[in-house]
Amino acid sequence: MDLIVNKNVKLKEVEMEDAPSLYALIHANRGHLRRFLGWIDATEGTADIEMFIAGSRQRRMMQNGTDYGLWYKGRIIGVVGLHYMDWINHCTSIGYWIIENMQGKGIMTAAVSRLIRYVFDELGLNRVEIRCAVENEKSRAIPERLGFTREGQIRQGEWLYDHYVDHIVYGLLKNEWRRA
């Protein structure tokens, strides 16, 4: 299912036909993406993206999350994902990345906002979490702009190639979103 963000931006569930363009996008932005994404070096070709898409489709079929291509004016510029869906506790988490030259335009903030609306209004969940590396100020700015509460810090929460990074945990509840 596609989620329309605005006249220029949409979220489209990733499909196999997206694999070549998604790999080309990642390959062209390796240096930028590698700073905070630990899977970049393991992404060596289109086959790796096809495996990612197959996993995303499987999670979608099991109602356990999905990944969306972030499309701007008809071209893919990033990915936004709904991670594990905890249906018992009515919560999920969101992850995202965007190519460097599209940062700072409000595109990702608008996309995440639309996904949150979908999570709360259509899926009926109660809580969304976003985790960002402490040093990743641009990613951290998104939940901060969208009214998330900074709930804590996870020390050495992620292994990033040759070192650990700490994560900030942000949470947003459905009733807080409605007030915002």
Side-chain angles (χ1 to χ4, degrees):
M1 169 198 331
D2 293 353
L3 299 175
I4 304 303
V5 177
N6 58 42
K7 67 180 180 132
N8 293 320
V9 181
K10 77 174 176 178
L11 295 171
K12 180 175 108 30
E13 289 175 324
V14 291
E15 297 294 347
M16 284 301 172
E17 67 258 17
D18 299 326
S21 56
L22 196 50
Y23 175 72
L25 189 70
I26 291 165
H27 185 68
N29 288 272
R30 244 175 227 289
H32 162 69
L33 296 173
R34 190 178 190 279
R35 288 189 59 217
F36 296 110
L37 298 174
W39 48 265
I40 296 299
D41 287 0
T43 306
E44 299 175 339
T46 303
D48 295 314
I49 301 301
E50 289 170 348
M51 285 182 10
F52 160 74
I53 292 170
S56 181
R57 290 175 73 183
Q58 173 122 17
R59 286 188 333 210
R60 187 181 323 151
M61 288 185 334
M62 296 173 61
Q63 296 184 328
N64 194 20
T66 193
D67 295 284
Y68 295 90
L70 174 59
W71 293 80
Y72 178 75
K73 295 185 177 180
R75 71 180 182 107
I76 193 166
I77 61 167
V79 170
V80 181
L82 272 181
H83 301 155
Y84 171 74
M85 309 289 281
D86 182 343
W87 293 103
I88 293 171
N89 295 303
H90 309 114
C91 57
T92 190
S93 65
I94 295 175
Y96 44 83
W97 61 266
I98 190 170
I99 59 174
E100 189 170 20
N101 68 348
M102 297 306 287
Q103 289 182 319
K105 301 176 187 312
I107 296 168
M108 187 60 79
T109 300
V112 171
S113 177
R114 176 62 181 97
L115 191 55
I116 291 167
R117 199 166 71 240
Y118 171 71
V119 164
F120 289 151
D121 295 346
E122 297 178 46
L123 296 181
L125 299 180
N126 184 61
R127 175 182 163 78
V128 174
E129 186 175 287
I130 294 176
R131 294 182 182 198
C132 303
V134 170
E135 299 84 12
N136 194 342
E137 294 175 7
K138 291 184 179 184
S139 280
R140 288 180 48 202
I142 292 166
E144 291 170 2
R145 269 194 295 273
L146 293 174
F148 280 66
T149 298
R150 180 180 169 157
E151 296 179 333
Q153 184 167 329
I154 299 173
R155 296 174 306 137
Q156 297 185 0
E158 181 182 16
W159 177 253
L160 200 57
Y161 303 104
D162 61 357
H163 66 284
Y164 290 101
V165 295
D166 294 352
H167 279 190
I168 302 295
V169 178
Y170 295 93
L172 181 69
L173 305 178
K174 186 175 188 173
N175 68 338
E176 295 166 339
W177 181 252
R178 297 248 185 263
R179 285 194 310 251

